[in-house]
Structure formats: C-alpha cells, structure tokens
Amino acid sequence: MTHLSVNINKVATLRNARGENMPDVQRFAQECERLGANGITVHPRPDERHIKYSDVFLLRPLVKTEFNIEGYPSPEFMDLVLKVKPAQVTLVPDAPDALTSHEGWDVEPNMEFLTGIIDRLREAGIRTSIFVGTDLDNIKAAARTGTDRVELYTKPYADIYPKNPEQAVAPFVEASRAAHQAGLGVNAGHDLNLDNLEFFHSRLPYLNEVSIGHSLISDALYLGIGETITRYKQCLV
C-alpha cells in the first residue's frame, strides 16, 4: 500500500493571512487523519510564512499517524527536528527564500554534509529521506549517505504527463527500481494531483509514500477535505 501524507502548509498560509487561528492548523491535521490520511507533512521555512516552528511543537503530540517534516538542514531546522523527533525527516536543498522546492540534491558534492546530517538523525531514531531527481547515479550516491529513502521530485512528470504519460513516467520507473536495488525506500511528491496520480502509482514499483499539499488543499476548496482525501486514496489502490 502506498501511503498518502497530506502537506498542510497551505492551510497555515491561509491562517497567517489574517494573523489569527482560522483555520486551525492543528485541528485540520487531526481531521485529515480521521478522514483517512496516512500521515501529515509540514515544511517549516526560515521566514515562517506558512508553518511556524511553534506549529510543529503543537502538532507533535496530536499527529497519531506518520509525522514528516521537510526542510533544509540548517542548524535551526536540526534543532527543531531533534527536539520533536518525527517519524521521518525529508531533506531538501532549498535556499532560505525559495518559494517552493524546485530541484533535488546533487548528492555527490554534498556527500559529507548529508552523511553527517543523516547520522545525527539516525542516532535520534528518525527515518530519513533525501529529495532527489531521477538521475540514477545520483540515487546510488544517495544510498551511500545512509539515508533510508529518497523522495522523487515529480514536477517533471506532472509537466509532461498531459502530452505523453508514458514518456513522463518512464524516468521515474527506472529511478524507483534503482532506489529499490540500492536498498532505499521510495517516496514522491510535487505537483501530483487527481489527474496524474493514479497513472503514476500504477506504473511505479516500490512506491512507499506520496506527499501532496497544494493540489490536495486546492481540491478541498471544491470537494471538501473528506471527499478529497477519499479520491486521492482511491488513486493509490
């Protein structure tokens, strides 16, 4: 079974627009779990423009499924996750002012840095995932860091899918196989939605988890969060 982790950053963005606690991010996370989400993902950024560090501490005792925290492993981020100890930390190479994640790690030049970070997280009992593209050598390099999983950056798939689904998914199929052969679990995320997720899931072997935020929260504005989570999970059957 491929798990669905709901990224709730956009809920925090809406809340922050008014500076009050509406919508309630913690309550929304609990509702997602009640409605069938297999996990909750957050990506706190240095400027706290959506999820705040305080949110992460509040969410920790409430999330009963899998708590996944994404981010660049700055000293502040590492201090946060080592205190919170989520089920999984996903390492992304974002600059502090990045609007959204738009590429994976180039692992080899960052090998020493990533290995040190992953060693610290493993000692704390936290599963790790490295955000990467589909380059096979890069995935093999990721395995040498000691990470447990990779998360495949799926925007290139989403961009090509409307014109040529088979062409769009082919590199991800090979990447998933390479990761599995290297002993890694496989996650995926970015621009996956109700139009392209079912096909992606049907073709990709060894897919452990998808993390979806922007599209899922946008769909919930029309469908409601319950119906939205049901439809996304149906894509993963």
Side-chain angles (χ1 to χ4, degrees):
M1 175 182 167
T2 300
H3 285 185
L4 171 66
S5 187
V6 176
N7 186 318
I8 60 172
N9 276 20
K10 288 299 184 294
V11 180
T13 301
L14 181 60
R15 175 201 62 189
N16 294 350
R18 288 289 294 269
E20 299 174 352
N21 194 37
M22 183 181 292
D24 185 321
V25 171
Q26 287 75 46
R27 179 182 173 187
F28 189 86
Q30 291 179 295
E31 187 70 358
C32 287
E33 288 186 311
R34 186 185 71 80
L35 294 166
N38 307 111
I40 299 296
T41 291
V42 295
H43 188 152
R45 296 181 184 274
D47 62 6
E48 296 194 321
R49 64 179 178 269
H50 35 61
I51 287 291
K52 301 178 183 295
Y53 275 37
S54 59
D55 289 325
V56 178
F57 286 106
L58 290 170
L59 284 164
R60 184 65 187 97
L62 300 178
V63 174
K64 304 304 181 185
T65 56
E66 180 180 290
F67 196 20
N68 172 49
I69 304 179
E70 301 179 343
Y72 179 82
S74 65
E76 295 79 11
F77 179 85
M78 289 299 293
D79 181 64
L80 173 71
V81 297
L82 289 171
K83 287 177 179 176
V84 172
K85 294 187 177 180
Q88 177 175 266
V89 167
T90 301
L91 304 174
V92 299
D94 286 353
D97 60 348
L99 182 63
T100 186
S101 302
H102 62 274
E103 63 181 350
W105 288 94
D106 187 1
V107 176
E108 199 68 53
N110 294 286
M111 180 67 71
E112 184 176 354
F113 174 65
L114 288 169
T115 300
I117 293 294
I118 288 164
D119 285 346
R120 292 177 65 192
L121 293 169
R122 173 179 285 128
E123 288 172 4
I126 302 169
R127 187 175 75 228
T128 57
S129 180
I130 296 179
F131 199 55
V132 297
T134 56
D135 181 86
L136 302 186
D137 289 336
N138 198 48
I139 289 171
K140 293 173 185 176
R144 297 201 302 275
T145 68
T147 190
D148 300 291
R149 296 184 181 183
V150 290
E151 179 173 336
L152 301 177
Y153 172 57
T154 49
K155 180 172 172 53
Y157 163 76
D159 288 345
I160 299 171
Y161 173 82
K163 295 181 179 179
N164 192 328
E166 293 291 352
Q167 178 186 345
V169 81
F172 291 88
V173 173
E174 293 306 311
S176 183
R177 288 174 177 159
H180 180 74
Q181 290 170 2
L184 299 172
V186 180
N187 298 341
H190 213 289
D191 286 5
L192 295 174
N193 56 45
L194 288 175
D195 293 326
N196 60 37
L197 179 59
E198 184 174 7
F199 181 82
F200 184 82
H201 176 257
S202 72
R203 294 297 192 274
L204 218 71
Y206 316 117
L207 183 59
N208 296 105
E209 174 186 296
V210 293
S211 175
I212 304 177
H214 184 82
S215 295
L216 190 151
I217 301 303
S218 297
D219 288 331
L221 296 176
Y222 300 97
L223 303 172
I225 189 60
E227 178 66 17
T228 298
I229 288 176
T230 295
R231 292 194 189 190
Y232 273 88
K233 291 195 70 175
Q234 286 172 346
C235 294
L236 300 173
V237 174

